[in-house]
Amino acid sequence: MASHNVSKIFVVGGTGAQGIPVITGLVRDKRYQVRVLTRDRTSPRAKRLESLGNVEFVEGTFASESDLRAGYRGCDGAFINIDGFNCGEKTETYWAIRAYELALEEGIKFFVYGNLDYGYKKGGYDPKYRCGHYDGKGRIAEWILFQNQKLSNQNRMRAAVFTTGPYIEMAIAAGTPMSPTVEDDGVVTWRVPLGSGAVPHVALDDCAYYVRWMFDNIDRANGMDLEVAIEHVHYAELARAFESVTGHPARFVDVDLDTYWATGSMSRAANRGCGYNSDPKDPAFMTIRQNFTGFWNLWKDSGRNQGVIRRDYTLLDEIHPNRIRTVEQWLRVTNDQGIKDGRGSLWERVQPGNLRPALKIAEDGMKGLL
C-alpha cells in the first residue's frame, strides 16, 4: 500500500540532467511540492523547473550548513544528488554525510540519496576499478543505509538509495565519455575502450518514475538500494540498433585505453582535474584520465550482467512495468520524439556541429574541456 506521508520535498541537484526529470515526475499531478537548491534561480534550467508549477527555490550551495538548513526547513522529504564530478570525491564525502545529519536534525521524514555504484568495492578493491566520483557516492550510500538500520534513526527519518549509472542520453550527446562521431565514410562511430563489456545505461525519463515510486511507497523503499538501468548495453548492439532505427550505418570500434586518451572524446581534458572545484594540491586529487580509466574498466568487466556491475532486471520490471528495456526501444522513442518536437531525427542530431550536451556540467564549468 502506498505511503503518502511526505508532501514537500527538498531537492539538491534539481537543475542537473537527472534532477529535471525527477522533479517533473514528483510534481506532475501536484501530489508533491518541491523546493530546489540552486546557485541561480534565474538560470534557464531553473526557469524550466519553475514552469512546471509546485516548484520553489532557495539559492545557495550544498556546501553550506545554513543553506541546507534553509532548504530542509518546512519540508518533510529530501532527494539529495550532489554533483561529485563537480566538487571532487573528498568534498562530496563530507557534505553528503552532513546533508544526512542535518536532514535528521530538521525533521525530514524520508531521505533519498542519489548514488552511483561503489565499483572499487564491487570489484574486490582492485585499483583498476578506482573511479572517484563513483566511489565517493558508493561509500556514502553504504553509510546512509547503515545509519538507517538503527531503529531510533528510522523512527525519526527513513532513508533509501537511488543508484543510477551513465545515462543513455550520453551516447548521443556532446561532452561525454562516449560521445559519437560521424567519420569521413559517413558512419556514426563509437570508439571507446569497452571490449566485450557493457554499460548499464539509464534512461533519464525512467528516473522520474523510479524516484516517484520511492516517495509513493516509503514503507517498501525504506532501506532499499534501488539500482536501475534499461539493460547492459553492448556497444556493438548500440550500433546495430542505431542502424535499425535510422537506416544509416553505425559501428562500434574497440580501442585500447592509450588510444582513447590520445584521440577520444575526453582526450583534450585527460590531464585536467576530475572535480573541477577540487584542489590539484590535495593528495586525494584525481585527473580525468585516472578517474575515467577506472570508469571504463568497470564496464569492460560487466558484460551480460555477469561481471562487476549488475542489475536485478526482474525487480525493475516489477516496479516499473512500462520501463524502457532495450537500447533499440530507447533509440526508437527518442528518434520519433525528436522528429515530432523539431529537434530532428537521431541521424540529424549526431551530425558534426549538431551534438548537444546532455549533462549540465557541459554547460557550466567544464564547457569546452571535453
Side-chain angles (χ1 to χ4, degrees):
M1 182 178 296
S3 298
H4 292 305
N5 59 342
V6 166
S7 60
K8 190 169 185 178
I9 300 166
F10 175 52
V11 175
V12 171
T15 59
Q18 184 183 141
I20 290 175
V22 163
I23 293 171
T24 301
L26 290 172
V27 303
R28 59 179 165 74
D29 57 1
K30 310 308 179 187
R31 170 65 186 82
Y32 298 100
Q33 292 181 302
V34 172
R35 177 182 294 156
V36 181
L37 181 70
T38 179
R39 293 188 301 272
D40 180 9
R41 63 182 303 159
T42 67
S43 72
R45 286 172 175 255
K47 289 295 186 183
R48 178 179 169 187
L49 289 174
E50 189 174 38
S51 71
L52 298 173
N54 270 30
V55 176
E56 65 183 48
F57 299 93
V58 57
E59 287 191 333
T61 170
F62 67 83
S64 163
E65 291 197 9
S66 60
D67 291 344
L68 288 173
R69 288 186 189 278
Y72 287 134
R73 203 151 292 157
C75 293
D76 45 16
F79 179 77
I80 307 300
N81 187 23
I82 293 173
D83 185 354
F85 186 80
N86 174 327
C87 65
E89 182 179 6
K90 183 183 286 188
T91 298
E92 175 164 18
T93 298
Y94 175 80
W95 283 106
I97 289 173
R98 287 302 288 143
Y100 174 88
E101 293 169 339
L102 292 170
L104 265 173
E105 285 189 30
E106 294 294 335
I108 297 297
K109 296 178 182 177
F110 185 51
F111 181 98
V112 178
Y113 177 66
N115 186 43
L116 294 167
D117 289 278
Y118 191 178
Y120 181 41
K121 179 181 178 180
K122 291 182 176 182
Y125 297 102
D126 187 325
K128 75 176 184 178
Y129 299 126
R130 187 76 176 84
C131 178
H133 77 288
Y134 271 59
D135 298 333
K137 282 189 177 294
R139 293 189 197 96
I140 295 301
E142 290 193 350
W143 181 86
I144 288 170
L145 294 178
F146 179 75
Q147 305 309 310
N148 191 60
Q149 291 174 15
K150 189 174 181 181
L151 187 59
S152 61
N153 282 354
Q154 281 200 38
N155 288 338
R156 295 177 63 186
M157 181 177 79
R158 296 182 178 188
V161 170
F162 180 58
T163 301
T164 59
Y167 310 131
I168 185 59
E169 289 81 359
M170 293 165 61
I172 58 162
T176 80
M178 59 279 295
S179 295
T181 58
V182 180
E183 300 195 350
D184 292 340
D185 55 3
V187 181
V188 178
T189 305
W190 288 271
R191 292 183 179 270
V192 293
L194 189 56
S196 60
V199 182
H201 274 300
V202 176
L204 283 170
D205 284 345
D206 280 349
C207 293
Y209 183 96
Y210 287 123
V211 174
R212 173 64 186 254
W213 178 89
M214 296 175 86
F215 280 96
D216 282 351
N217 297 274
I218 294 173
D219 289 341
R220 184 173 178 194
N222 181 48
M224 177 183 285
D225 181 357
L226 181 57
E227 300 177 318
V228 304
I230 57 174
E231 68 169 337
H232 277 60
V233 179
H234 297 260
Y235 270 39
E237 173 60 19
L238 170 62
R240 187 210 63 76
F242 188 93
E243 287 190 348
S244 176
V245 169
T246 68
H248 293 278
R251 66 186 165 214
F252 157 58
V253 178
D254 182 42
V255 297
D256 59 52
L257 282 162
D258 286 340
T259 300
Y260 177 79
W261 289 116
T263 63
S265 61
M266 304 186 79
S267 57
R268 286 191 298 158
N271 296 316
R272 295 177 183 265
C274 183
Y276 64 87
N277 284 332
S278 56
D279 182 359
K281 297 178 181 178
D282 189 327
F285 183 81
M286 295 183 78
T287 65
I288 284 177
R289 178 171 184 158
Q290 289 170 327
N291 185 79
F292 283 96
T293 291
F295 173 94
W296 282 113
N297 281 333
L298 282 174
W299 316 135
K300 286 179 72 173
D301 292 345
S302 295
R304 297 178 178 82
N305 200 24
Q306 297 175 352
V308 177
I309 305 300
R310 306 185 187 193
R311 294 291 184 261
D312 183 347
Y313 291 110
T314 300
L315 173 65
L316 298 182
D317 288 343
E318 177 205 337
I319 291 173
H320 188 2
N322 297 318
R323 72 180 185 87
I324 298 290
R325 286 178 167 81
T326 68
V327 67
E328 181 168 343
Q329 181 187 2
W330 183 84
L331 288 169
R332 198 167 297 282
V333 169
T334 302
N335 184 67
D336 293 347
Q337 186 60 44
I339 293 171
K340 182 179 179 180
D341 64 22
R343 288 176 297 158
S345 68
L346 281 174
W347 171 249
E348 293 170 320
R349 286 153 63 186
V350 300
Q351 297 305 304
N354 289 351
L355 276 183
R356 295 291 179 263
L359 303 176
K360 185 174 183 290
I361 198 168
E363 299 175 7
D364 292 342
M366 293 293 286
K367 185 180 291 184
L369 294 185
L370 304 184

